Amino acid sequence: MKESKTSLGSIENNKDSIQKAKGKLLPLTIVKIVLVFLALGLGFSIVCMSMARYFWDKSLAMQSITRFQPCIGEETSLEKWIRPPLNLMHKMTDEQLFWRASLVPKVHNYPFKRVPKVAFMFLTRGPLPFLPLWDKFFKGQPHTLYSIYVHTLPSYKPDYPSSSVFHNRQIPSQVAEWGKMSMCDAERRLLANALLDFSNERFVLVSESCVPTVNFSTIYKYFVKSQHSFVGSFDEHSPHGRGRYNWNMAPEVEADQWRKGAQWFEVNRELAVTIVEDHKYYPKFEKFCKPSCYVDEHYFPTMLSIETPALIANRTVTFVDWSRGGAHPATFGKHDITEGFLRKITQGHTCLYNHQNTSLCFLFARKFAPNTLEPLLNLAPMIFGYG
């Protein structure tokens, strides 16, 4: 009996021990299960993230291929590099534009059929009062022979008709003030934009008061066949010449190198790049040539006479009348426009062209008042040969 009680006690003690052991094992099992689920969850998350990144990268790659695939042929063709900009109103700064325009191929032979063009660069404040006359001048001429660029005040919004050759030919512009460096900046801006077209070989600067005094074919041949660029550059021993020299210009510009010339120039492509890329003379003229030193009369003539004297003709092709005196040339009004007056502009002159004497010295004339448009239109076919 005693032994039975002892056995029962042992059994009950064993049961208690088992229950306690189970109580201890249960939390440990739960922890293991939780850890297993956490490990599975973490692994699943990593797999999902990897798959999501894979498909995202693949999606971006497909989008890139889809977006750029139509341009693959264009990107690798020469046409991309020689085609002129379709839209002149770009967003480049002057610094970016001048850098882009000064890129020059080192191989002189063009790997494509290049027809040289004349770039007509119009430096204006606003409207072109002689637009109908210029349209007649360009009428019927192949677009492969010329291009047009217009620099105005930035506030001016041109409304050239779609039928005009001036339609959509305005470039990004800034304020240009007479006699100040901003005027030369505008001229460099015109040159730089025109240089973006590899076919432009000659570059002529004209104003809104300027008109062509011969027909297009004559001007084209005159420029394209010329061995020189038409930049006036002369040493004037007067208060309006050397008297404007500032000794701080040295050593870049010595007193005996100081030159003066007309603002309205014509240059070939080589000299256009020289003007646009200049950083040697620009700071000197910007700092030390201020009114009464008129920088547009001295900067380019001086620089080109120093750097490329053999390439300039030392004369301009734009007729002006200084006989009336003053800081500006004479302005011709409606009553000045007669057959005899216009023939005096086109005849009776002698100059050098390719080292030979010629009577054809002026291709343009200024300054004409807006009210001269009608008589000029009437006389242009007879005197100028167009219209």
Side-chain angles (χ1 to χ4, degrees), residues 9-27:
S10 298
I11 292 171
E12 287 178 0
N13 289 334
N14 288 336
K15 285 183 178 180
D16 290 339
S17 298
I18 291 170
Q19 289 295 332
K20 288 179 180 180
K22 284 183 178 181
K24 291 179 180 180
L25 287 174
L26 186 59

Side-chain angles (χ1 to χ4, degrees), residues 76-185:
T76 58
S77 69
L78 181 64
E79 179 67 21
K80 169 184 169 56
W81 304 104
I82 64 175
R83 185 181 62 247
L86 298 177
N87 183 7
L88 298 184
M89 296 301 291
H90 56 73
K91 294 183 179 179
M92 286 186 284
T93 64
D94 278 353
E95 182 182 11
Q96 294 168 338
L97 173 65
F98 295 164
W99 177 85
R100 173 65 182 84
S102 61
L103 297 177
V104 179
K106 294 299 183 181
V107 178
H108 296 292
N109 295 325
Y110 290 92
F112 58 93
K113 185 178 179 181
R114 179 178 182 264
V115 178
K117 293 198 294 188
V118 176
F120 290 82
M121 306 180 301
F122 290 80
L123 181 57
T124 78
R125 286 164 291 185
L128 291 170
F130 298 105
L131 181 69
L133 191 69
W134 281 102
D135 275 335
K136 285 183 177 294
F137 170 78
F138 287 112
K139 185 178 180 180
Q141 304 303 324
H143 291 282
T144 54
L145 300 184
Y146 72 91
S147 53
I148 294 172
Y149 303 87
V150 182
H151 187 292
T152 70
L153 289 174
S155 59
Y156 176 69
K157 305 300 180 185
D159 57 349
Y160 308 129
S162 58
S163 59
S164 172
V165 292
F166 290 86
H167 184 65
N168 287 339
R169 300 310 299 174
Q170 186 180 18
I171 67 168
S173 307
Q174 297 182 31
V175 173
E177 297 180 87
W178 177 73
K180 296 185 179 180
M181 200 52 155
S182 59
M183 183 66 73
C184 294
D185 290 336

Side-chain angles (χ1 to χ4, degrees), residues 283-350:
K284 289 285 185 173
F285 279 91
E286 182 182 34
K287 189 173 182 179
F288 300 114
C289 184
K290 297 180 179 181
S292 60
C293 175
Y294 302 107
V295 68
D296 52 273
E297 295 180 356
H298 297 281
Y299 175 27
F300 299 154
T302 299
M303 177 180 68
L304 295 179
S305 70
I306 295 173
E307 295 294 325
T308 57
L311 298 182
I312 59 176
N314 287 331
R315 67 180 179 90
T316 180
V317 289
T318 301
F319 175 87
V320 292
D321 181 7
W322 289 98
S323 64
R324 303 178 190 180
H328 300 279
T331 297
F332 309 124
K334 183 176 183 179
H335 298 295
D336 292 314
I337 309 305
T338 63
E339 180 181 346
F341 170 76
L342 295 180
R343 291 203 183 279
K344 285 182 181 179
I345 296 176
T346 59
Q347 300 175 3
H349 307 283
T350 303

